[in-house]
Amino acid sequence: MPTYNRREFLPHAIRYFLRQAYQPKELIIIDDGESPVDDLIPEAENIRYIRLHSKITLGAKLNMACELARGEIIANWDDDDWYADRRLEYQVEALQNPKIQVCGINRLLYYDVRLNRAHEYIYPFDQRVWLIGSSLCYRKKFWLLHRFADINVGMDGLFVWSTTPDKVCVLPDSSIAVHMIHDRNVSPKKTEGAWWHPYQLDKLRETLGDDWECYQNGNLYHPQKPFWYLNEQPKREPAVKPLKNIYACLVHEELDCVIDLVKNLRYHDPVSPIILYNGGTNYSLLKSDFPFEKFGAVIYPNAVPLKWGYLHNFALKCMEFALANFEFDTFTIVDSDQLMVRSGYASFLAKSLASSTGIGMLSSNSERVLADNTVNRVAIQAYNEYELWKPLINSFPDGESKFVHWTFWPSSVFMVDAVRDLTRQFKENKLLQHIMSRTKIWATEEVILPTMVSMLGYEVINNPCSYDFVRFKTPVTTEDIKIAQQKNDIYWVHPVERKYNNQIRTLLREQGQSYTAGNGDIYVAHNMVPKPQPPEAFISKIRKIEGWLSDAEANMLMGIALKACKETENTHNIVEIGSYHGKATVLLASVVKTFNLNAKVNAIDTHDGKLGAEDAGLNIFPPSLSMFKNNIESARVSDKVNVIVDKSYNVKWEQPVTFLLIDGLHDYKNVSMDFGHFSQWVVPGGYVAFHDYADYFPGVKKFVGELLATGTYSKINTVDSLVILQKNILEKQSA
């Protein structure tokens, strides 16, 4: 926090820092004002005050603070701005995406303390990506390569523009900060400009909450008044553990509306993965060119058509998929005609559940539906089948008192422990399976799943998110949206017609600047990091595929492929020469898909069945293309594989290569031709692997030996008959 003559604002800026929910934090204050402000600084281990005796530029002060910072993540903290207590937590969460190096906001709320007016500054999405400097949060490693310019105005823009747009995350929740307009702004605010808009004062007051009074009627601190927190302990908000959420969306019609839903979720929630389950009969619905993965959405494999009112299988399948592939705390159901109206959903759930234990589900109705109910037809049918369900009810402690529970399906939320137990019950409980084969209950998802959660011993509580505008067959209106956006506990609206030009969809898109991140490009700041899987999970996947690759070699290939894609920038082409039935292809593509790498496996092979070495006599096998395609299809990685049926040296290639695997014919001439055709495209720091580097194929050993002797490559490792080389970085400098 650089500061200069802002004595009246400084205590509040410190207070906003102290109450941040994110705990491992320190505040570095660099002061070059006309008089010191050390009397305003509380004694705290995590606050450091540095007094300068001569004035320097704002950029220089920022660089000095960054030098002193002990953390690996740095946030700029203006001395005259208001910050929400979730700001650091929100921004650190966005930086968990390894692709993102800096994040912040460019749709800004302003309060003019002189004129008691509110403004909103909306930076156009078709302009070069920009973030306001006071909101910047970035990695220290990034700052070391992109220091702030030694100037007073504009260093924030230069800082952001020093990298590529894909590394910049424009956060959608602008309410994490309110910027103050006063007589001593370093950069004067010309609020009559085209990008400035009037903002409702009451809405801004709601954002500031209790802090609103600090800026009213001269309440800012004056030197003559004693500073309140030197004598009183500052009020600190209790720390709330961040919550990991995942969305399960059942979709079945109108691709443009599916895309609209995905963009809506990603715009308001930059970190929660989205599972898309195609429950319709249009099997090609999600097989489009739209980059779902870039928006944090994964498509459930092998989805089957579902019948309305019998959606429990959709939920259970998505739950199993989530457990196998992700780490999460909450599992949120989202209907295809449901949309989000505000950001901060996961944080809101986290705060609402912070002091609660034993919860299994967040429901629209936490109370049991009793047997004398005459309104809820789904529950009535469950009681009509009581004798069928009785053996299962009696198998649980107090099962009788847990029957029946019901929830309105959209916006229902399940806790991870309940998800784990639910899926186990439906998979292993024979009695439950027998009942499910005979039940005539419709809307199974709305009554059977919450009832099972309760019978399993979990508490079913009311969802803290309001259901005011999550309704059954009552379309959402524009007036509903206006009301919803004024209430802090409303996150969802339903139903919204599944037509792209629907008035509500259009309104929400316009409010979200077409769900762009301010740079005219797609919003890519999601935390799409799959649950870590042991190497065995990948290796067991390829053991039945015919080929010659040991477990140890497979393990090495996985590690190098992942390392190569993580270490290099925008050059994620994996080239495999010699695929046969696809053993290594499936392995590499599975790594790419599981870790959401921006990469493609280019599998090059003639598939003519000729294997071995020309100088030792070739072995003739049946043509392998059909089996190769079957194997990559069965492994569900065909979308990550570019199949090229040809000799390597006939392939026209002009793209950087991150990782090159040579596993074609194993004589000196063919190895040399395979490598020679692609060597110029291997990036500095990229990797090359040669398979069958062994005495029984002397041509491979000879070529690798000569290649290492040139000094262009270094040997990284050898396991069994696989040798790994890395192209020296110095190649880039000499070029």
Side-chain angles (χ1 to χ4, degrees), residues 65-335:
C66 289
E67 289 279 7
L68 295 169
R70 291 175 289 203
E72 61 185 48
I73 291 177
I74 298 174
N76 289 4
W77 201 265
D78 261 25
D79 57 0
D80 61 344
D81 285 347
W82 174 91
Y83 293 115
D85 57 6
R86 67 184 186 281
R87 180 202 158 176
L88 290 181
E89 183 178 80
Y90 179 55
Q91 294 196 261
V92 170
E93 192 173 29
L95 288 180
Q96 297 312 299
N97 180 352
K99 296 179 183 177
I100 301 302
Q101 295 298 318
V102 57
C103 66
I105 56 177
N106 64 16
R107 184 168 185 151
L108 315 171
L109 300 178
Y110 279 92
Y111 179 58
D112 191 326
V113 299
R114 307 161 304 177
L115 304 175
N116 191 34
R117 291 178 185 170
H119 305 272
E120 185 175 28
Y121 177 90
I122 303 176
Y123 185 76
F125 67 85
D126 57 354
Q127 299 287 315
R128 188 178 185 182
V129 63
W130 171 83
L131 305 172
I132 189 169
S134 60
S135 75
L136 294 179
C137 186
Y138 43 93
R139 300 179 187 279
K140 187 167 185 177
K141 288 181 180 178
F142 177 80
W143 168 79
L144 287 169
L145 299 174
H146 308 268
R147 293 171 181 259
F148 290 98
D150 191 3
I151 55 180
N152 275 318
V153 179
M155 66 282 161
D156 47 1
L158 295 175
F159 183 77
V160 173
W161 295 336
S162 68
T163 188
T164 53
D166 60 303
K167 293 184 175 64
V168 180
C169 168
V170 182
L171 296 166
D173 186 0
S174 60
S175 66
I176 59 171
V178 175
H179 313 277
M180 300 300 162
I181 300 176
H182 49 85
D183 293 328
R184 292 195 305 282
N185 290 116
V186 174
S187 175
K189 311 305 176 199
K190 300 178 181 179
T191 56
E192 67 277 5
W195 297 352
W196 290 83
H197 307 272
Y199 194 76
Q200 293 181 21
L201 201 60
D202 287 346
K203 200 170 181 180
L204 187 78
R205 180 173 184 169
E206 184 179 337
T207 298
L208 289 172
D210 293 341
D211 297 322
W212 170 260
E213 295 301 326
C214 296
Y215 301 94
Q216 303 305 303
N217 303 318
N219 284 347
L220 285 169
Y221 171 72
H222 292 283
Q224 294 81 10
K225 297 180 181 179
F227 182 41
W228 63 270
Y229 77 59
L230 293 180
N231 301 315
E232 299 178 21
Q233 190 66 21
K235 178 183 176 182
R236 299 196 187 195
E237 297 292 331
V240 177
K241 180 183 177 183
L243 179 146
K244 296 179 181 178
N245 177 62
I246 192 164
Y247 298 110
C249 307
L250 176 62
V251 296
H252 51 85
E253 59 185 50
E254 304 300 338
L255 174 63
D256 53 1
C257 288
V258 176
I259 294 172
D260 192 51
L261 170 62
V262 169
K263 286 186 173 184
N264 170 268
L265 293 176
R266 183 53 61 238
Y267 176 77
H268 286 295
D269 185 345
V271 296
S272 299
I274 304 164
I275 301 174
L276 296 176
Y277 187 105
N278 179 11
T281 55
N282 178 7
Y283 297 102
S284 62
L285 175 67
L286 301 179
K287 294 181 179 179
S288 75
D289 294 332
F290 181 76
F292 284 109
E293 289 186 357
K294 287 190 175 182
F295 284 81
V298 292
I299 298 171
Y300 180 86
N302 302 323
V304 297
L306 297 173
K307 183 179 178 182
W308 182 82
Y310 300 90
L311 306 184
H312 64 281
N313 274 331
F314 145 71
L316 292 168
K317 292 294 184 184
C318 288
M319 287 176 179
E320 289 178 351
F321 185 82
L323 288 170
N325 292 283
F326 298 96
E327 293 179 346
F328 63 98
D329 302 303
T330 54
F331 181 93
T332 301
I333 300 296
V334 180
D335 262 11

Side-chain angles (χ1 to χ4, degrees), residues 560 563-564 567-568 571 653 655-660 675-690 707-708 710-717 723-735:
I560 293 298
K563 186 177 175 65
E567 289 179 352
T568 55
T571 53
W653 190 271
Q655 300 178 57
V657 174
T658 301
F659 180 36
L660 174 63
F675 175 80
H677 190 68
F678 285 91
S679 61
Q680 64 174 312
W681 301 107
V682 178
V683 299
Y687 295 85
V688 179
F690 294 85
L707 180 59
L708 289 171
T710 66
T712 307
Y713 284 82
S714 300
K715 184 188 288 188
I716 299 300
N717 207 341
V723 61
I724 306 293
L725 312 184
Q726 184 177 27
K727 191 171 186 178
N728 295 328
I729 299 292
L730 290 176
E731 284 297 302
K732 184 175 182 179
Q733 297 175 351
S734 63

